[in-house]
Amino acid sequence: MTAVLPETAASSSESGPQAARPAAGGPRLRRAGLRGLVFVVVLIAVLQVITTLIGSRYFPRPTQIAVALVEQLGDGALVVALLGTLGSALAGLALATVVGVLAGLLLGSSAWAFAVVKWVVEFLRPLPSVALVPFAILLFGVGSTTTILAAFYASLWPVLFNTLYGVRDTDPVAVDSARTFGLSRTQVLRRVVLPLALPNVLTGVRVASAIALVLTITVELLTAAGGVGYFISFMQAAIRTPEMYAGVLVVGVLGYLIALGVQAIERRLLFWNRREDS
Amino acid sequence: MAVAVRTPTRRRPRLGAPPRWLPAVLPVMLLALWEIGGQAGGSVYLPPLSRTLRVFAETWFPDVVVHDVLPSLGRFAAGFLLAAVIGIVLGMAVGMSRTLDDYLRPTLEFLRALPAVAVLPVAVFVLGLGTSMRISVIVFGVLFPVLVNAAAGARSVRPERVETARMFGLSRFATARRVVLPSALPMISAGLRVALPIALIMMVVSELVGGQNGLGFYLTYQQQNFDIPAMFAAVIVLGVLGNLLNAAYAAVEKKVLHWARHA
């Protein structure tokens, strides 16, 4: 229950087995998808009418935003920004996953190691990571180092703590059996504990992926170091409103795609553990 | 010899449980290192702990607290509560109605995946650098995790409970309030717990971009002044604040949801 639960909503629209919905077959899903699409189309149409009627420069028409989006994508500016953001977020996330899983394995399997760092990590975890961004800017300057480090730092905690809880929850019988068969400590960690903790680890990575994106964009907004965050704030400063909204739209798509990607990885790695998330 | 290597966490650890005082060692060491390193190193970026504390003691009470901390907390509370109410109500509506769920789901999924900070420039553009911008950015960050969780909670209510309530003549609203809401509360609470740090992050970010007051504003202001001890003080305060809010939420949750422990 402590884990963030985005998948409870998301998985039911995909192929996840639905105990509560016996009728979850093809036609029902198709109707749901159609209705969702209808709503999006109607919403855009309504926004088009309203924005045309009020004609405010704060709220450009959806058609204007679409034109700006196509122009910026075609121009390459938005694509470059997008790739920059994606690269920083993924680099931070990858670092956080490696460090978080290793630290989580260590801290989860050793009560002593955990006791040593307990107060420090428990103080740092709830500290809003964006508060460290001004420091990072002073120390590392403006550039991808700062962006990646900020994304890394913030996304480290969910990976670390979820791994730690996963390791603690592993069945002692499985570990002891492996021991009995003569596996060394590292072998047990790698072959028994890590696979058993994998669902938790991946939950952590899923949460972390969203956070990595948030931090990446925050740093880009604050430092003008490129990326979509900078693209949006640049367009805001230039009062090119349609372009600004197009940037926000692209960030949304990026966030959605990252979430889908992590979900796909989860499903692939956890095919043996399907029931866990329904 | 394989027997000798055992994982210490298992039921009967070889080393025994770590002593109670162990967690205090590292923080004390780090703080001491901070002080010594700050005194000796002479780096601008690492002012000694004592200087940070002096800045904190001299300038924060009552000036910074009144001027920055309280407005920040006010906006945090307003944004969090507003988004919680809207998110719970909408989420329950979506969770209770299959039709509504079908129509809204893709849109909500998209909005939930949209990192709230990306909306910040838009909010600044439309609403300016005032309180309404900051609160609405917090609301945007908190709303969707709460909404999606409330919907999932309402969806997971056993249908026979709802049908029984309807059969006894409860109105749709009464059913929602008396049957669905209590069953959905653990999920709603999980959503609120996720949203709490997001609200804090959005509070800080919304102030980092500029304005007149707030903890984030204080941070950027001191960064521009190159007043590192003041920055450290603000970060420590934010860390304490984050911990206090977490603890407060855990206490409330324990009190309200004590009956759901074993559910």
Side-chain angles (χ1 to χ4, degrees):
Chain A
M1 241 340 129
T2 19
V4 200
L5 303 143
E7 87 279 23
T8 37
S11 66
S12 40
S13 64
E14 263 93 40
S15 60
Q18 287 290 300
R21 288 185 182 183
R28 152 97 210 105
L29 267 181
R30 214 171 305 132
R31 199 183 67 204
L34 196 69
R35 283 177 161 179
L37 193 68
V38 165
F39 182 80
V40 173
V41 172
V42 170
L43 183 70
I44 293 174
V46 169
L47 286 177
Q48 177 77 19
V49 172
I50 294 177
T51 47
T52 312
L53 285 178
I54 61 173
S56 161
R57 71 187 172 92
Y58 292 116
F59 303 105
R61 294 189 289 280
T63 44
Q64 287 175 304
I65 298 175
V67 169
L69 181 64
V70 172
E71 264 175 25
Q72 294 298 318
L73 283 176
D75 177 39
L78 196 48
V79 179
V80 171
L82 197 62
L83 290 178
T85 302
L86 185 65
S88 302
L90 288 184
L93 180 65
L95 267 177
T97 304
V98 172
V99 176
V101 168
L102 290 178
L105 281 175
L106 175 69
L107 299 182
S109 55
S110 159
W112 280 74
F114 182 69
V116 169
V117 296
K118 186 172 178 231
W119 284 10
V120 175
V121 293
E122 284 187 353
F123 177 78
L124 289 179
R125 179 162 69 141
L127 193 153
S129 42
V130 284
L132 296 171
V133 172
F135 271 103
I137 294 171
L138 279 183
L139 285 178
F140 307 111
V142 170
S144 51
T145 320
T146 306
T147 318
I148 292 172
L149 280 178
F152 159 70
Y153 175 83
S155 44
L156 176 65
W157 304 109
V159 179
L160 196 161
F161 274 90
N162 275 292
T163 308
L164 190 154
Y165 296 141
V167 171
R168 280 195 189 157
D169 281 351
T170 45
D171 186 357
V173 176
V175 175
D176 288 344
S177 314
R179 267 291 141 64
T180 319
F181 283 116
L183 268 70
S184 74
R185 222 175 134 151
T186 28
Q187 277 175 324
V188 172
L189 272 185
R190 211 171 73 79
R191 297 184 177 257
V192 181
V193 178
L194 187 59
L196 283 174
L198 199 59
N200 281 56
V201 174
L202 289 172
T203 304
V205 173
R206 171 154 36 79
V207 176
S209 67
I211 295 177
L213 191 60
V214 167
L215 262 287
T216 307
I217 290 169
T218 308
V219 177
E220 288 170 355
L221 278 179
L222 294 173
T223 63
V228 194
Y230 175 61
F231 178 90
I232 297 172
S233 66
F234 175 82
M235 291 306 175
Q236 182 234 41
I239 324 197
R240 290 169 67 182
T241 329
E243 280 84 356
M244 173 181 81
Y245 282 100
V248 175
L249 207 63
V250 165
V251 171
V253 174
L254 188 63
Y256 195 69
L257 289 181
I258 290 181
L260 281 186
V262 174
Q263 251 177 46
I265 293 175
E266 249 182 301
R267 258 203 305 275
R268 216 191 149 106
L269 290 179
L270 294 182
F271 59 91
W272 48 272
N273 196 35
R274 267 288 164 71
R275 305 193 55 81
E276 187 77 1
D277 69 54
S278 59
Chain B
M1 239 22 232
V3 192
V5 261
R6 282 187 58 112
T7 349
T9 33
R10 293 302 128 218
R11 290 290 130 93
R12 251 162 275 105
R14 221 156 43 94
L15 292 164
R20 281 272 188 80
W21 47 264
L22 191 59
V25 173
L26 187 63
V28 169
M29 270 170 58
L30 285 176
L31 292 177
L33 262 179
W34 181 359
E35 179 64 29
I36 297 164
Q39 298 277 10
S43 164
V44 226
Y45 294 115
L46 191 73
L49 172 66
S50 52
R51 226 174 91 217
T52 305
L53 290 179
R54 203 170 336 114
V55 167
F56 179 64
E58 280 167 6
T59 62
W60 277 63
F61 302 100
D63 293 0
V64 182
V65 172
V66 173
H67 185 260
D68 295 303
V69 180
L70 292 181
S72 278
L73 283 179
R75 292 189 287 254
F76 169 85
F80 186 77
L81 293 178
L82 193 63
V85 171
I86 302 173
I88 292 171
V89 171
L90 284 182
M92 285 191 36
V94 169
M96 286 177 70
S97 156
R98 171 83 59 84
T99 318
L100 205 56
D101 190 24
D102 284 350
Y103 281 114
L104 293 182
R105 175 167 284 171
T107 312
L108 292 177
E109 286 292 324
F110 178 78
L111 287 174
R112 193 170 56 94
L114 177 66
V117 280
V119 182
L120 188 66
V122 178
V124 173
F125 181 67
V126 175
L127 298 169
L129 281 173
T131 305
S132 56
M133 176 278 280
R134 295 176 217 286
I135 292 180
S136 48
V137 172
I138 297 174
V139 168
F140 190 89
V142 170
L143 181 61
F144 297 102
V146 175
L147 196 161
V148 169
N149 264 42
R155 221 177 281 132
S156 67
V157 178
R158 305 227 316 263
E160 55 270 30
R161 286 195 190 168
V162 177
E163 275 151 28
T164 312
R166 301 280 297 177
M167 220 156 64
F168 277 108
L170 264 73
S171 70
R172 228 162 196 256
F173 179 74
T175 314
R177 205 172 79 81
R178 292 174 182 269
V179 181
V180 181
L181 182 62
S183 305
L185 261 188
M187 285 287 274
I188 291 174
S189 180
L192 290 173
R193 203 176 327 112
V194 172
L196 199 70
I198 300 180
L200 203 59
I201 287 179
M202 294 315 294
M203 175 195 97
V204 176
V205 181
S206 77
E207 296 163 351
L208 283 178
V209 292
Q212 305 83 37
N213 59 22
L215 274 165
F217 172 72
Y218 180 85
L219 256 177
T220 33
Y221 180 77
Q222 301 303 352
Q223 184 205 22
Q224 277 148 25
N225 281 352
F226 220 72
D227 190 342
I228 313 282
M231 287 175 69
F232 268 110
V235 169
I236 292 176
V237 167
L238 276 168
V240 172
L241 210 60
N243 279 282
L244 285 180
L245 286 171
N246 257 4
Y249 186 78
V252 172
E253 189 185 45
K254 203 174 159 198
K255 206 164 164 167
V256 177
L257 279 180
H258 56 92
W259 51 269
R261 280 293 97 147
H262 310 287

